[in-house]
Amino acid sequence: MASLKEMRNRIASVKATRKITKAMQMVAAAKLRRAQEAAQAARPYAERMATVLGSLASKVADKNGASPLLVGNGKDQVHLLIVMTAERGLCGGFNSNISKLARADAHRLIANGKTVKIMTVGRKGADNLRRDLGKNIVERKDFQGVRQLNFGHAEGVANRVVEMFEAGEFDVATIYFSEFRSVIAQKPTALQLIPAKVDEASNETAKGATAIHEYEPGEDEVLGFLLSRNISTQIFRGLLENAASEQGARMSAMDSATRNAGDMINKLTIKYNRQRQANITKELIEIISGAEAL
């Protein structure tokens, strides 16, 4: 049985840990609002981008010489998985859920005879996938020390992806991120980037509006620019969604940790008081027994 001193030290240690988790919860709550606003502001832009791409793709996708970023290169053998996670942990299952989805898709593709290459954006993604898919990781992008991610960071990742595609290093590219729903709900999401995946709903919306759209200098030129721009936009949206999801997950995890620490302190305090009373009772019995012996 632990001594009273050891129990006091343990209670003090848990109290110090509770102060840290409470502080981290408050910091995450302060960062969450700004990250949530940024993620929500990026969604309409990304959705409108998909609508415009749907309008243009419906006109030029069947033409000869269409951009490989839209129709692909005719092959489906090499897949690039772009796994975007956080740089730090202590945010519940945020990082592991994204990695779990990417890992499941990677194993499925490998089982079907496909070649899988992985690009990790964020240190935790590489750490989670290193054990069983370490040999498939071909590129790492870390933003450790970056306080606020901006479009330039996403554009750097997008340029590297396009460069790899033009060099023939892969046929299909998919990004993995966590879509922010609420503080307690974040949905791991996979989105195909290359070839561009245009939703049927976006196509239908675009078809109803084609009569009032005219493109200059021309549809092919505009589409070529938008396809590369779309890759940067979708990656940036994923980074913003991840930022909001990370803070929401960390806030929830630290809240649970703070409450668990409080429960542990109460249990340890009760145990300490019982042990202290038992020691006092034992000392009184020894004193009374000694006095009666005299």
Side-chain angles (χ1 to χ4, degrees):
M1 184 177 294
S3 65
L4 291 178
K5 182 179 180 180
E6 291 174 343
M7 295 180 67
R8 283 198 302 269
N9 290 339
R10 188 175 180 187
I11 291 173
S13 176
V14 176
K15 285 183 178 179
T17 301
R18 183 174 63 174
K19 289 181 180 179
I20 295 173
T21 57
K22 183 64 176 178
M24 292 184 67
Q25 177 192 353
M26 295 175 66
V27 171
K31 292 181 177 180
L32 174 61
R33 182 178 178 181
R34 184 173 61 180
Q36 182 178 353
E37 290 175 351
Q40 291 175 342
R43 289 174 185 172
Y45 184 79
E47 292 170 358
R48 188 60 182 169
M49 176 76 77
T51 301
V52 175
L53 280 177
S55 173
L56 290 170
S58 64
K59 297 178 181 180
V60 301
D62 295 332
K63 295 180 180 179
N64 295 330
S67 172
L69 294 176
L70 176 64
V71 299
N73 56 11
K75 296 182 289 185
D76 185 29
Q77 179 59 33
V78 183
H79 288 250
L80 177 67
L81 310 185
I82 306 168
V83 184
M84 300 193 294
T85 56
E87 297 291 340
R88 298 185 300 160
L90 296 177
C91 48
F94 167 73
N95 293 309
S96 59
N97 288 338
I98 299 174
S99 300
K100 183 180 179 181
L101 177 61
R103 182 183 291 108
D105 285 354
H107 287 312
R108 175 178 54 80
L109 291 169
I110 293 173
N112 292 333
K114 308 295 183 181
T115 301
V116 173
K117 296 182 179 180
I118 297 176
M119 173 189 288
T120 60
V121 181
R123 184 171 58 88
K124 284 298 179 179
D127 293 343
N128 290 340
L129 297 173
R130 183 185 296 117
R131 185 177 63 179
D132 53 344
L133 293 170
K135 61 182 180 181
N136 299 92
I137 298 176
V138 297
E139 192 88 15
R140 289 186 57 171
K141 297 286 185 180
D142 294 341
F143 296 117
Q144 195 168 9
V146 177
R147 296 187 61 182
Q148 183 68 34
L149 292 172
N150 54 47
F151 190 76
H153 298 106
E155 203 166 28
V157 176
N159 290 339
R160 177 55 183 157
V161 172
V162 173
E163 179 184 333
M164 293 174 65
F165 180 69
E166 292 176 347
E169 297 183 26
F170 66 87
D171 304 319
V172 180
T174 306
I175 60 171
Y176 293 83
F177 61 94
S178 183
E179 182 181 356
F180 179 80
R181 297 288 182 84
S182 67
V183 175
I184 59 174
Q186 302 88 32
K187 180 184 177 183
T189 303
L191 176 65
Q192 182 175 306
L193 278 184
I194 301 176
K197 194 173 183 65
V198 181
D199 294 336
E200 294 181 2
S202 297
N203 266 322
E204 293 300 323
T205 303
K207 288 177 181 177
T210 50
I212 61 173
H213 283 93
E214 293 183 1
Y215 298 96
E216 295 221 3
E219 295 169 355
D220 292 337
E221 290 82 359
V222 173
L223 180 61
F225 170 78
L226 286 182
L227 284 170
S228 58
R229 188 74 171 184
N230 179 61
I231 296 175
S232 302
T233 300
Q234 298 302 336
I235 290 177
F236 186 48
R237 179 196 172 188
L239 291 175
L240 293 179
E241 294 281 354
N242 266 5
S245 297
E246 177 190 355
Q247 299 304 331
R250 179 171 288 115
M251 180 180 171
S252 179
M254 291 301 102
D255 178 60
S256 297
T258 301
R259 286 188 279 105
N260 291 339
D263 294 340
M264 183 176 292
I265 290 171
N266 292 335
K267 292 179 181 179
L268 288 174
T269 301
I270 292 173
K271 187 176 180 181
Y272 171 81
N273 290 335
R274 287 176 177 173
Q275 180 65 25
R276 182 170 174 271
Q277 291 173 358
N279 290 348
I280 293 173
T281 302
K282 181 180 179 182
E283 291 175 0
L284 289 174
I285 291 174
E286 291 175 352
I287 292 172
I288 294 173
S289 298
E292 289 180 352
L294 294 176

